[in-house]
Amino acid sequence: MSSSKEFFIGRKRELSLLDSLYNSDTFEMLIMHGRRRVGKSYLLAHFAKLHSENTIFFTGDKSSEKTNVQNFCEELKRVLKVSDFIDSFEKWSDIYSFFKDKELKERLVIIIDEFTYLYNSNPAYDSGLQNAIDRILKNKNIFLILCGSEVSVIEEIIDNSSKPLYGRKTAELKLLPFDYIEARDFFPNYSKEDYIKAYSILGGIPLYLKLFDDRLSVKENVIKNCLSQTGVLFNEIETLLRMELKETYFYKNIMLAINAGASTFNTIKERVDESSAKVAKYMNVLCNLGFIKKEVPCGEKSNSRNTLYSICDNYFAFYFMFIYKKQNMLNGLISPELYFEREMNDERLNVFIGHRFESICETYLKKLFYDGKMPFFAEDIGRWWGNNPVLKRQEEIDLLALDDENALICECKYTKEKFDEKQLKDLQDSALCINRANKRYMIFSKNGVSLGVASKIKGDAYYSVVTIDELIS
């Protein structure tokens, strides 16, 4: 493992938010949530370390209220230097009463990680905390952070207007996986091409990124971590699904159907052979967890019936494409080295990476717009598909950015060949589908453009080319 991975990487925006709430002179309550493995606890532990003298960092578990309260009191004694009398506390109400008469001259940070466990073991937990906030805590110099991984439970507690904690949060942070720009710091020794390959396999989950050692090749890392029975990622998807979901077999069937090419709701429903209501419910869960995504053509309303689904989590996509169906072979019937040679040749891997490459290009483009480095401000960015009214055929646009008058039409190519004149003609033909006064073109190409294309677009400000060097600069 690279020595750089021993240091805290990224999360500058998130730490800035935490610092601003810490420096507030009023009571603050932050709700932090996000899928498992995304690094919530790691971020909070880092923040707590920066303020160790006045931070209570407590992780809830599935044990009784009494046990959780006693564990919390151990941290309380360490930070506030109170005597052992709090060892007698058995209920959360005892702790709230303690704070009622406690003067806090310094800012006190209270982090409750996995707070959904406290709610699940005691349905009255949220009403007790609501009373404590309204009557005691909101008048104290306290920064309270509630963190959890169970998305549906958090939404129920925090966003349901009938629930006690509704309206009490002062800030909310959904922690997302690293994008490809942030994750680059995990692999300082990799070439740009090897980094794109590693990120396309792992995605932005910090735990996975840390596992790959950039002193080894991508192939060696895949064999060690993904294909070997002792590898951390060998059974990771099965473990993660069991932690998050019931009926894991049905969820896997949905993702296998998508992986096999079913992209519309009806084709997915036909593949899994279940009712529309059940399929819709379970697909919505997978979308909320960030495992799959629902897309409509760029520029269309979100309720458009022209909807496609895809697996958006990189490692889920890698697992279902290369490992899941033949995992039995890897349980002693073939060596991981031979399996890699047989199943993951350059051609197959490049096809896989090509699909992931589009999301990398989208992240790059969004950053350009966000930083005001484009000739217009995009109101929507994404893929587009539909009918070409001029050529009377179906078209797909890898990436499109729009406002009322402007369009940026992009092609994303991850191949060893340069972007050629035929592909340029296809890009220009696809623009016939987009009704905007001003049309610009951006070519994302792993290896640049051919001499013919370079000659045709030379000096034309409406065309630009982005290679891996620009993407990873």
Side-chain angles (χ1 to χ4, degrees), residues 427-458:
L427 175 62
Q428 293 165 337
D429 286 346
S430 68
L432 298 172
C433 306
I434 307 303
N435 182 25
R436 293 295 189 275
N438 305 309
K439 298 179 184 179
R440 294 174 171 83
Y441 303 88
M442 185 172 282
I443 299 165
F444 292 92
S445 176
K446 173 185 175 183
N447 287 307
V449 299
S450 67
L451 290 175
V453 172
S455 176
K456 284 180 179 293
I457 66 175
K458 184 178 181 179

Side-chain angles (χ1 to χ4, degrees), residues 329-346:
M329 292 179 66
L330 289 164
N331 280 309
L333 298 178
I334 189 173
S335 74
E337 293 80 7
L338 285 176
Y339 186 86
F340 187 98
E341 296 295 336
R342 168 180 154 156
E343 299 293 332
M344 300 180 192
N345 57 52
D346 287 344

